[in-house]
Amino acid sequence: MRRGGYSLSVAERILLIEDDARLAEMVSEYLGEAGFRVSVAAQGRSGLDRLAREPFDALVLDLMLPDMDGLEVCRQLRAKSDVPLLMLTARGDATDRIVGLEIGADDYLPKPFEPRELLARLRAILRRRKGGGAASRLLRFGRLEIDRDARSVHVDGEARSLTAYQFALLAALAENAGRVLSRELLMDLVKGEPLEAFDRSIDVHVSRIRAAIEDDPKKPRRIVTVRGAGYVFAKAQD
């Protein structure tokens, strides 16, 4: 079955953690018409409980909840799961969005938003989890191993944890090893939606990737910054 150019063989399950009942109903109805099965939790704790009990394909998380901060929900979730996560925020401060990305959100959407944009961003992070149709193969760079089939990363045989977006970003860099990639090109390669020009989302994700795969994240040898141009993934690393 295809809806709007996006293939859904089995209805994917989405958990929406949102305390605004009217907004939650609107989003649930819209995503339901697009072929998703949507469950709603009005509080952070009840949402975490459902995630612990039931399998979901993605999470849409409001930043401001009545019982606990959405950022804390994200922190607790990422300690146990790498389920794709789209964060909703009504706050105007870009710092909140950056913090959300730093602690594991795959993308964010500021309120108020168009339902079509929510759907597009949700589909994008689900595509990234599935590999986006890119060629699957094992990439090795010295002690670093990137398995596109398993969507896993190992250094010296030890698994390193990345979010779906971060894995897609690392894979895009590795596929283009030795080539300087701008932030705009990287966002295009991972099929992400364009973000505001002032947003540092790519820098935040690269920082998290470095923390996972570099021997010394402060002196990176795998993902190198090219000032004024972007990033380059080193062909020779060890």
Side-chain angles (χ1 to χ4, degrees):
M1 178 175 65
R2 296 184 67 86
R3 295 178 183 267
Y6 183 72
S7 178
L8 287 174
S9 55
V10 177
E12 290 168 298
R13 298 195 64 196
I14 309 299
L15 178 62
L16 171 63
I17 304 181
E18 170 62 68
D19 63 314
D20 184 330
R22 185 175 179 180
L23 178 61
E25 182 180 2
M26 181 271 289
V27 170
S28 297
E29 181 177 350
Y30 190 85
L31 293 181
E33 291 176 354
F36 294 97
R37 286 191 297 153
V38 183
S39 300
V40 178
Q43 296 186 335
R45 177 51 56 193
S46 60
L48 287 170
D49 290 343
R50 289 204 66 169
L51 285 162
R53 297 193 312 266
E54 306 171 43
F56 288 94
D57 296 291
L59 168 65
V60 179
L61 171 65
D62 186 19
L63 189 62
M64 301 180 69
L65 296 168
D67 62 330
M68 61 191 302
D69 191 281
L71 294 176
E72 180 58 28
V73 174
C74 184
R75 287 189 188 94
Q76 293 191 27
L77 175 66
R78 281 294 176 250
K80 303 175 182 177
S81 171
D82 64 349
V83 63
L85 192 163
L86 174 64
M87 186 173 68
L88 303 177
T89 173
R91 299 176 182 174
D93 190 352
T95 301
D96 290 315
R97 300 196 291 272
I98 292 170
V99 171
L101 293 169
E102 284 180 332
I103 62 177
D106 293 284
D107 199 356
Y108 75 87
L109 184 62
K111 294 180 178 179
F113 56 82
E114 288 290 334
R116 287 182 301 173
E117 183 175 8
L118 172 65
L119 178 60
R121 288 179 179 269
L122 185 58
R123 285 173 169 170
I125 64 174
L126 285 166
R127 279 197 302 268
R128 291 195 289 266
R129 171 55 56 89
K130 294 178 178 179
S136 295
R137 61 180 179 274
L138 191 66
L139 302 174
R140 288 194 178 91
F141 296 86
R143 297 178 292 117
L144 173 67
E145 181 179 283
I146 303 168
D147 189 334
R148 296 204 66 147
D149 285 322
R151 298 190 65 76
S152 64
V153 178
H154 291 79
V155 178
D156 287 331
E158 178 183 345
R160 302 298 171 92
S161 178
L162 295 175
T163 68
Y165 190 97
Q166 289 159 9
F167 181 88
L169 184 58
L170 175 60
L173 284 161
E175 288 281 0
N176 292 276
R179 177 185 175 192
V180 178
L181 303 178
S182 68
R183 292 165 179 80
E184 292 76 14
L185 179 56
L186 281 168
M187 284 192 286
D188 182 63
L189 287 173
V190 298
K191 298 180 174 63
E193 294 295 318
L195 303 180
E196 289 90 337
F198 63 83
D199 184 62
R200 296 191 294 110
S201 64
I202 292 293
D203 298 329
V204 170
H205 285 301
V206 168
S207 176
R208 301 303 295 174
I209 296 169
R210 283 172 169 164
I213 69 171
E214 296 280 3
D215 295 325
D216 183 353
K218 293 183 179 180
K219 297 178 181 179
R221 299 181 61 184
R222 291 185 163 87
I223 302 176
V224 180
T225 301
V226 180
R227 186 163 304 203
Y231 296 99
V232 60
F233 190 88
K235 289 184 177 180
Q237 301 181 5
D238 298 310

